[in-house]
Amino acid sequence: MTDALPPLLLQFAATVLLSFVLGLELHSYRRSQDEGIGFGTTRTLTLIGAIGFVLWLLDGVQANVGAPQVFLHPANGGTAAAIASDLLGTRGLYLAGLAVLAVWLAVDLWPRVARSTRAASQPADNGGALLPSLIALVAYALGPLVLTQPDWFVAAVMVVTILMLGEKPLIRRLSDAFPSAEGVTLAKFLIIAGLVLPLMPASPLPGLPTLSYQKVWLAVVAISGLSYLGYVAHRYIWPKAGTLVTGIIGGLYSSTAVTIVLGRESRTDAGIAAQAPAAIVVAIMMMYVRLLVLIALLGHLDAARALLLPFGTIVLGSGVVAFVLWRIGSRTAAQSASAVQLGPHNPLALPIALLFAALFIAFAAITQFITTHYGAGALKLLSLLVGFTDINPFILSLVATHGVVNPSLMVSAILVASVTNNLVNAGYALVLARQRAMVPVAGWFALCLVAALFWTGWL
């Protein structure tokens, strides 16, 4: 049916509809904050969006459904005056509308800012003075976005804007809980990821022709970023999460840390002790999910597909075991478990990133050396031994060094190393907790190791 409608009409309707949705969201936000209607009603934002669309069209930019356009580049190599002249010549009406809107917003904003300044005794977020003006600018930009950009980009702009309006309590809670030290650490990481990574040479490392400096640092950025998401979720979004939720979230950045903390806390807290076995199994289960995501994000889709069956089997089996242990713990718990704190460990700390890079290169070099000089048997032994250390650099270095290891042997080594590490973690829990409830956890992962050795043909 849409094929019979003019493309321009569909784009105009999309702009009006999106502007209307922004108006509704702003109205809902104001009602939730007990604010007056003020500037930026639903009708006003809808008309602003429509006007932006019309002015952009009148400037001569043609709509083209399904073929995103880009802004015309100003005079190549021209001066600032030439660029300004070009902009005024090709975007004059739209820029004039933007200037009028800016003046209008400034006239409306000034009294509200003055009132907020005078009302010093009221909460600092009383007026939300800038928010309606910013939403109006987004509405004015929707027309050009719909006309020139892909649908996914327009959707992303809308999602971010609506989230900023609708998730104020969560954003405020996160902002209040986020200490300045975390902001400094995150800023350093963004500089390293955004500035250092593009500057890393694509040339191979000495002695490792299949591994480049850029690949190493990309792996560091990927695992540090994913681990940090889990760290922030546990520390600032759900800081008082229960034992089982701690296992789910904590497993995204360190299943070993979760296992050690829960094992230690189980000795003094009966509530945690009842749910700790299930939480540890869940944390280790999430480790497999994280590994698959990391391998896929780094572009090793063939390795991710090859690992999907064994990893998926362990995840499903661990889910069943965790559910059974959770039901048993729910019946035996004498009291509700208190919140579990995993400690101040920050996975974005620069020394941790550098250590990971060093281990990544070291494992790649060791793997190449032993497979070249001693064959597959030595790699099998290495994968068993690596299970007693941090397996992330070993696994990611294996998938990054294409051609060094046979693909089937690589999958087997990754599987055995990960399951060995699981059994080691279960041993930590058993020793630290000193409780019989941890025996099924160790038994399950011992069974997984035996099954993995049979599946790989190593037994």
Side-chain angles (χ1 to χ4, degrees), residues 351-376:
I352 296 176
L354 295 177
L355 176 61
F356 179 88
L359 290 174
F360 187 96
I361 296 172
F363 277 123
I366 293 171
T367 301
Q368 179 172 299
F369 177 80
I370 65 172
T371 52
T372 302
H373 292 82
Y374 300 102

Side-chain angles (χ1 to χ4, degrees), residues 173-394:
R173 187 167 68 249
L174 179 61
S175 300
D176 292 341
F178 204 76
S180 58
E182 294 287 358
V184 173
T185 302
L186 181 58
K188 291 178 181 178
F189 175 79
L190 292 176
I191 292 173
I192 292 172
L195 296 180
V196 177
L197 179 60
L199 297 176
M200 282 287 177
S203 56
L205 277 75
L208 297 171
T210 61
L211 191 63
S212 67
Y213 295 93
Q214 201 170 70
K215 282 185 178 180
V216 173
W217 201 249
L218 181 61
V220 172
V221 171
I223 194 168
S224 298
L226 189 61
S227 299
Y228 190 67
L229 290 178
Y231 167 80
V232 169
H234 180 267
R235 189 168 179 82
Y236 301 111
I237 300 178
W238 294 288
K240 297 181 180 180
T243 306
L244 196 61
V245 176
T246 298
I248 296 173
I249 301 173
L252 290 175
Y253 73 93
S254 178
S255 58
T256 301
V258 174
T259 301
I260 292 175
V261 171
L262 289 178
R264 188 183 297 121
E265 295 292 329
S266 296
R267 298 174 61 180
T268 57
D269 191 308
I272 292 178
Q275 298 297 337
I280 290 173
V281 174
V282 168
I284 294 175
M285 179 183 75
M286 294 304 296
M287 179 202 73
Y288 286 100
V289 176
R290 181 187 60 175
L291 283 175
L292 274 178
V293 170
L294 280 172
I295 293 172
L297 284 177
L298 293 173
H300 311 298
L301 298 180
D302 291 338
R305 281 192 290 266
L307 289 166
L308 188 59
L309 177 60
F311 276 16
T313 303
I314 293 175
V315 168
L316 290 176
S318 297
V320 173
V321 171
F323 177 76
V324 172
L325 293 176
W326 175 74
R327 292 296 300 269
I328 294 173
S330 299
R331 290 197 299 265
T332 59
Q335 58 185 358
S336 60
S338 58
V340 181
Q341 298 296 328
L342 296 182
H345 169 71
N346 187 336
L348 281 192
L350 184 58
I352 296 176
L354 295 177
L355 176 61
F356 179 88
L359 290 174
F360 187 96
I361 296 172
F363 277 123
I366 293 171
T367 301
Q368 179 172 299
F369 177 80
I370 65 172
T371 52
T372 302
H373 292 82
Y374 300 102
L379 182 61
K380 294 178 181 180
L381 178 61
L382 177 64
S383 62
L384 285 169
L385 296 176
V386 165
F388 291 86
T389 65
D390 185 2
I391 61 171
N392 290 313
F394 172 72

Side-chain angles (χ1 to χ4, degrees), residues 21 26 48 61 114 134 137 166 200-201 229 244 253 264 340 375 403 432:
V21 169
L26 181 59
I48 289 175
V61 178
L134 295 175
L137 292 174
M200 282 287 177
L229 290 178
L244 196 61
Y253 73 93
R264 188 183 297 121
V340 181
L432 292 172

Side-chain angles (χ1 to χ4, degrees), residues 77-152:
T79 62
I83 293 175
S85 175
D86 184 82
L87 284 174
L88 289 174
T90 59
R91 310 279 185 248
L93 288 175
Y94 186 79
L95 291 177
L98 180 60
V100 171
L101 179 62
V103 172
W104 184 18
L105 294 177
V107 170
D108 175 77
L109 180 63
W110 178 255
R112 288 187 283 120
V113 172
R115 286 196 301 269
S116 298
T117 304
R118 288 195 301 267
S121 60
Q122 296 182 2
D125 63 343
N126 180 52
L130 281 174
L131 194 58
S133 301
L134 295 175
I135 299 300
L137 292 174
V138 172
Y140 188 71
L142 281 176
L145 287 176
V146 170
L147 285 166
T148 65
Q149 301 305 311
D151 294 340
W152 64 264

